[in-house]
Amino acid sequence: MSTPSGWQRKLITIFRSEKRLGASTIIKMFNDKSIDEMKATIITESMCDPEKLTGKPRTKDLFAHLDNIKHQFIGQPELCFYQAALIVLLRREYKPKETFAEFEALWTTQTEFLLKHLSLRWIISACDTFVDRAPDEVRAAVLMNATTLINTLRVYETKQFLQLGSTDNTELNPIITDNVEALYRSDMPLYGGLTYFRAGFDDTLKNMRNRYEKFYDVDTLATTILLSVFDKLQTPIDNNSNAFTTMRDLHKSERSIWWQD
């Protein structure tokens, strides 16, 4: 990969700055509330801006993105949304050291509450955040198991949907074209706040592979074995396909390729 030129680096810096614009205001808004207050406050539709409900998973505008996410927390304690907001800020690299310290403190002191009220989707997002940021390598390695478990479940549920359709659960069928097209078009809800694997474009497995690779510095041998097993699942074994090879066959985006031939 070539090194970005001066003007390219400037554009990247501007883009990242725009993605963080208003972050300090958002942090102040939450800091003005206590943990108990956020536990007691239930998010309602009136607290969300209907015009910000775009249905798109990402937008550069931080306020619009968070308001879009807030719709997912209607009927839930505001503390759950706060946890999600911290994850968004970390992914946009807003004061990562301070923001992660707040995120980790929140999970340390409110573990039971968060596990009770958060959907699987946001629990796994928290696990990903710990894997990406935690200085404790053991904690990161343990939580990588949770991420792997759910990502593998999503892939296999997606394969089942592709072969069985939405109603027929009696026998395996060839992949159904209409279901493939539905997964190409948008994220489809599964359960627990999870979605089916976004056929063609999903970057989940690429991100999972990147997180595996970070453990090379922890244990080179174990990580080498782990990635070897992962790679073997990306091609037919004894001429038998599996859920991972199915997703690979349907994939389109060059940017989110997760396999290595």
Side-chain angles (χ1 to χ4, degrees):
M1 182 181 294
S2 60
T3 303
S5 63
W7 67 269
Q8 287 174 322
R9 288 195 297 271
K10 185 175 181 180
L11 281 178
I12 291 171
T13 300
I14 292 173
F15 178 73
R16 288 176 176 171
S17 297
E18 289 178 347
K19 289 176 67 178
R20 295 191 291 264
L21 193 64
S24 59
T25 302
I26 291 164
I27 287 294
K28 185 179 185 306
M29 177 185 71
F30 285 115
N31 284 345
D32 288 341
K33 302 178 181 181
S34 68
I35 293 292
D36 287 340
E37 185 180 353
M38 286 191 280
K39 282 183 175 181
T41 301
I42 303 301
I43 293 180
T44 63
E45 287 189 27
S46 64
M47 298 168 65
C48 305
D49 185 346
E51 295 182 0
K52 300 292 177 61
L53 185 57
T54 64
K56 298 179 180 179
R58 297 178 184 87
T59 177
K60 187 168 63 175
D61 185 295
L62 178 58
F63 287 100
H65 183 53
L66 286 176
D67 212 276
N68 194 16
I69 288 176
K70 189 187 290 185
H71 285 82
Q72 300 175 27
F73 291 92
I74 291 174
Q76 296 182 43
E78 189 178 29
L79 190 68
C80 294
F81 173 59
Y82 176 49
Q83 190 264 177
L86 290 174
I87 290 175
V88 170
L89 292 173
L90 281 168
R91 291 182 179 174
R92 296 191 177 210
E93 295 293 332
Y94 175 73
K95 294 185 176 180
K97 184 177 179 179
E98 296 89 339
T99 305
F100 179 73
E102 174 64 17
F103 172 83
E104 188 171 41
L106 180 65
W107 268 98
T108 300
T109 60
Q110 304 299 323
T111 310
E112 185 176 349
F113 184 89
L114 292 173
L115 289 176
K116 178 180 179 181
H117 292 281
L118 285 173
S119 67
L120 268 176
R121 178 253 173 110
W122 284 105
I123 291 173
I124 295 305
S125 290
C127 292
D128 287 338
T129 303
F130 276 114
V131 173
D132 291 341
R133 304 282 180 176
D136 185 336
E137 295 167 342
V138 173
R139 174 170 291 174
V142 171
L143 290 176
M144 191 70 226
N145 285 284
T147 293
T148 300
L149 181 65
I150 293 301
N151 288 346
T152 302
L153 176 70
R154 287 182 59 224
V155 170
Y156 272 84
E157 291 283 21
T158 302
K159 185 174 189 290
Q160 184 180 51
F161 170 74
L162 289 171
Q163 291 190 309
L164 297 179
S166 57
T167 57
D168 181 7
N169 292 318
T170 59
E171 61 180 352
L172 288 175
N173 298 316
I175 289 178
I176 300 169
T177 303
D178 287 348
N179 290 1
V180 174
E181 293 304 317
L183 292 177
Y184 276 150
R185 284 194 299 271
S186 62
D187 292 323
M188 294 181 60
L190 182 53
Y191 44 67
L194 303 173
T195 59
Y196 285 102
F197 195 82
R198 179 76 182 277
F201 308 96
D202 205 304
D203 61 2
T204 300
L205 295 181
K206 178 184 177 182
N207 292 336
M208 189 165 78
R209 184 190 186 91
N210 290 342
R211 290 180 176 118
Y212 283 158
E213 289 177 350
K214 72 169 287 184
F215 293 110
Y216 269 126
D217 293 335
V218 180
D219 190 323
T220 302
L221 173 61
T223 305
T224 300
I225 294 171
L226 169 64
L227 285 169
S228 176
V229 172
F230 182 71
D231 286 338
K232 289 179 187 299
L233 293 176
Q234 312 311 315
T235 56
I237 302 172
D238 298 330
N239 296 319
N240 293 305
S241 63
N242 59 58
F244 289 103
T245 59
T246 299
M247 294 304 101
R248 174 175 173 166
D249 290 342
L250 296 174
H251 202 68
K252 294 181 177 182
S253 171
E254 291 289 330
R255 296 180 60 185
S256 52
I257 286 174
W258 65 87
W259 60 86
Q260 292 187 354
D261 291 324

